[in-house]
Amino acid sequence: MTRRLTVAERLASAEKDLLLADIADQSSWDQFLVEQAVLTFGRHHADFSCNDLRDVLPEMGHGFLGAAINSLRTGGIIAHTGRSVPSTSPATRGHRLAVWALTAKGRGIAAERTARAQGRAAA
């Protein structure tokens, strides 16, 4: 049985193009896609909450947002800023949401991904 990659390893992986078989083997591929979206959003914004992310994710990604945030937090990719905002989702009745930011580790991963993408575009 192969070792399961950590969030940081998946996001920083030099493998740019996942094969369909690789995606199918991932039991949580939807969560993986949402994790990538959160990393990308964090690269372009100083901080963010789930309110911000819900606005840019397709409806089907909303259910994976909490798991993706928790995974990225546990992996040291994002950190709580100590602030919170009220939820804009009517279903949550305004409960408080954490505000997150990329950590140094998260910024490093994002920078590597940007550099790789720019290298591909120049080639």
Side-chain angles (χ1 to χ4, degrees), residues 18-97:
L18 292 174
L19 300 173
L20 185 56
D22 293 335
I23 293 172
D25 285 344
Q26 295 226 2
S27 62
S28 58
W29 69 271
D30 288 321
Q31 180 181 329
F32 178 62
L33 293 174
V34 174
E35 288 168 357
Q36 290 183 73
V38 173
L39 179 68
T40 300
F41 194 90
R43 188 173 75 214
H44 297 288
H45 299 85
D47 56 29
F48 53 89
S49 72
C50 288
N51 288 336
D52 303 312
L53 296 163
R54 271 195 315 271
D55 291 342
V56 299
L57 287 172
E59 187 74 30
M60 64 185 275
H62 295 182
F64 295 97
L65 191 50
I69 291 287
N70 190 45
S71 178
L72 292 167
R73 179 193 53 79
T74 302
I77 308 301
I78 63 172
H80 191 275
T81 64
R83 295 179 300 136
S84 63
V85 295
S87 174
T88 58
S89 171
T92 61
R93 299 186 188 105
H95 79 288
R96 304 299 288 178
L97 298 176

